């Protein structure tokens, strides 16, 4: 019994010391980590809006570039980022999208032209899909396919389609990734959920 | 589970502080019993992060840090740690050091942290560290345990750096981001960057280490 009590106390003390130490460190590094995460988000918005910036830029400079170029706007319930900043005509706008992937959450941005129908770019800044299969959604090759696609097809049907097969593509179709059917289905669903909202807010006549 | 695993090297129990054992321990961890090339432990991370030399160096540094830290504290606490929960205690200590390093990377080397992904956190499960805590730090004084941790960490780091160097060189024609093999006559071999390339590179490194290593007494007998 005495041995068990000692063991319990030892475990409790060791656990507490480790936990306190880690809490302290997490506390000290929190502002830096948050700044990094924020910068990462901004970097992705800049990327999807095709705003160029020096590659080795510091975090504070990045925030400055972001704030000089990008403005956050609201469209109905949706928030979006608009470039360039100011009263004139927008060149590109970016909408955030997110949803459940195969292994974990997927988050990214979808950039559209000013008329909000043509895709300018897409980026995934958080994903844990299978490397080499679903993970390829983050590759430049997959992302590039989206450029110039329409979010509404010729017959007025809303939404993009990610599907396999080598046939000629409709204006709202992109090629799926072989071996990543489930990831592609999930990405398609999360994109279409935001696309539907965009089309709803901007009217179906675009 | 073996309660008292024999230490991989000559233990210095009963001989006071490590007088003379330090160098032997160092050589043992880094060369004679190199965790990667001889014991083939911890190869999961060795395969995963060695597509670039820079990643390999940071990962090696992380392992040295964690192995030294955990060996030191496991050794310091060895007389007070109840035998029944010693492994849990070891894991708690190891995890603390790993998370410290992970947080440090996330705060100050974000890009590196992103590239290494989950593999920094996975150091917790790296068999080298747990193995050194069990086989060495539990039975040896703190200073010698630090030497052992550093030696094994170093052994891992050096092999990682070798693999990283060749994978980056052959796979992308670069070393630390500097182009060495010109694109005109050398076409980077993508295979070296992908996982199979890591297996080939590790296999060659193990083979070379084995050529130069003298077989130990037990192997001779067999």
């Amino acid at each position: 019994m005495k041995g068990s009590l000692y063991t319990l106390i030892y475990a409790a003390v060791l656990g507490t010391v480790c936990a306190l130490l880690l809490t302290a460190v997490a506390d000290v590094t929190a502002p830096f980590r948050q700044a990094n995460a924020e910068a990462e988000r901004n970097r992705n918005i800049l990327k999807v809006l095709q705003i160029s910036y020096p590659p080795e830029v510091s975090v504070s400079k990045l925030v400055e570039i972001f704030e000089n170029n990008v403005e956050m706007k609201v469209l109905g319930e949706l928030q979006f980022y608009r470039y360039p900043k100011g009263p004139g005509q927008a060149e590109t706008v970016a909408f955030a999208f997110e949803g459940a992937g195969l292994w974990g959450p997927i988050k990214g941005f979808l950039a559209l032209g000013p008329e909000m129908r043509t895709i300018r770019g897409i980026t995934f800044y958080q994903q844990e899909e299978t490397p080499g299969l679903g993970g390829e959604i983050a590759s430049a090759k997959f992302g590039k396919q989206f450029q110039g696609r329409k979010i509404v097809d010729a017959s007025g049907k809303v939404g993009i389609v990610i599907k396999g097969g080598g046939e000629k593509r409709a204006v709202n179709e992109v090629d799926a990734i072989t071996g990543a059917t489930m990831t592609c289905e999930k990405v398609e669903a999360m994109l279409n959920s935001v696309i539907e909202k965009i089309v709803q807010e901007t009217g179906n006549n675009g | 589970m073996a309660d008292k695993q024999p230490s991989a090297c000559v233990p210095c129990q009963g001989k006071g502080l490590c007088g003379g054992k330090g160098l032997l321990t160092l050589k043992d961890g880094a060369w004679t019993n190199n965790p990667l090339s001889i014991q083939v432990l911890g190869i999961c991370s060795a395969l995963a992060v060695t597509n670039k030399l820079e990643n390999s160096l940071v990962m090696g540094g992380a392992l040295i840090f964690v192995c030294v830290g955990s060996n030191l504290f496991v050794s310091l606490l060895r007389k007070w740690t109840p035998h029944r929960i010693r492994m849990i205690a070891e894991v708690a200590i190891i995890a603390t050091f790993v998370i410290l390093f992970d947080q440090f990377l996330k705060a100050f080397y974000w890009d590196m942290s992103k590239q290494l992904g989950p593999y920094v956190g996975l150091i917790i499960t790296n068999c080298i560290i747990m193995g050194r805590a069990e086989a060495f730090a539990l039975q040896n004084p703190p200073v010698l345990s630090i030497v052992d941790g550093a030696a094994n960490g170093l052994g891992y780091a050096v092999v990682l750096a070798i693999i990283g160097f060749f994978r980056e060189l052959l796979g992308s024609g670069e070393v630390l981001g500097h182009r060495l093999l010109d694109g005109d006559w050398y076409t980077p071999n993508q295979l070296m960057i992908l996982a199979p390339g890591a297996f080939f590179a590790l296999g060659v490194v193990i083979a070379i280490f084995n050529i130069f290593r003298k077989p130990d007494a037990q192997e001779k007998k067999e």
Side-chain angles (χ1 to χ4, degrees), chain B residues 51 167-174 179 181 186 188-189 193:
Chain B
N51 53 357
R167 282 184 73 191
E168 190 181 351
L169 182 69
L170 300 175
S172 32
E174 295 177 349
R179 184 151 286 281
L181 296 179
Y186 183 76
N189 184 351
I193 296 186

Side-chain angles (χ1 to χ4, degrees), chain B residues 87-169:
Chain B
M87 289 187 120
I88 298 170
E90 283 159 17
V91 171
I93 292 168
I94 293 167
T96 307
F97 279 99
V98 171
I99 297 169
L100 279 181
F101 194 88
D102 196 30
Q103 301 264 318
F104 171 78
L105 277 188
K106 281 205 172 103
F108 302 110
Y109 295 94
W110 173 260
D111 288 330
M112 181 49 66
S113 165
K114 238 178 31 180
Q115 286 189 36
L116 291 178
Y119 291 100
V120 174
L122 284 174
I123 294 178
I124 295 173
T125 61
N126 191 309
C127 351
I128 299 171
I129 294 172
M130 189 79 179
R132 293 331 289 169
E134 272 285 294
F136 198 93
L138 269 184
Q139 290 126 37
N140 287 288
V143 179
L144 201 58
S145 296
I146 291 179
V147 174
D148 181 72
N152 278 278
L154 199 68
Y156 174 88
V158 168
V159 176
L160 229 65
I162 295 172
I163 300 175
F165 175 83
F166 283 107
R167 282 184 73 191
E168 190 181 351
L169 182 69

Side-chain angles (χ1 to χ4, degrees), chain A residues 3-4 6-8 10-11 14-15 18-19 21-22 25-27 29-30 32-33 36-37 40 43, chain B residues 77 79-82 84-85 88-89 92-93 95-96 99-100 103-108 110-111 114:
Chain A
S4 305
Y6 175 76
T7 304
L8 271 179
Y10 180 93
L14 183 70
C18 289
L21 190 67
L22 290 182
V25 172
D27 229 40
T29 56
F32 298 99
R33 281 182 290 121
N36 285 333
E40 179 71 18
R43 207 172 287 154
Chain B
L77 294 170
K79 288 178 181 147
W80 290 279
T81 308
R84 267 186 292 173
I85 61 160
I88 298 170
I93 292 168
T96 307
I99 297 169
L100 279 181
Q103 301 264 318
F104 171 78
L105 277 188
K106 281 205 172 103
F108 302 110
W110 173 260
D111 288 330
K114 238 178 31 180

Side-chain angles (χ1 to χ4, degrees), chain A residues 126-147:
Chain A
Q126 190 190 326
Q127 56 95 5
E128 300 160 30
E129 300 312 285
T130 319
L133 296 173
E136 292 297 299
I137 53 169
S139 71
K141 193 181 159 211
F142 183 71
K144 225 176 176 155
Q145 293 190 79
F146 284 86
Q147 285 170 16

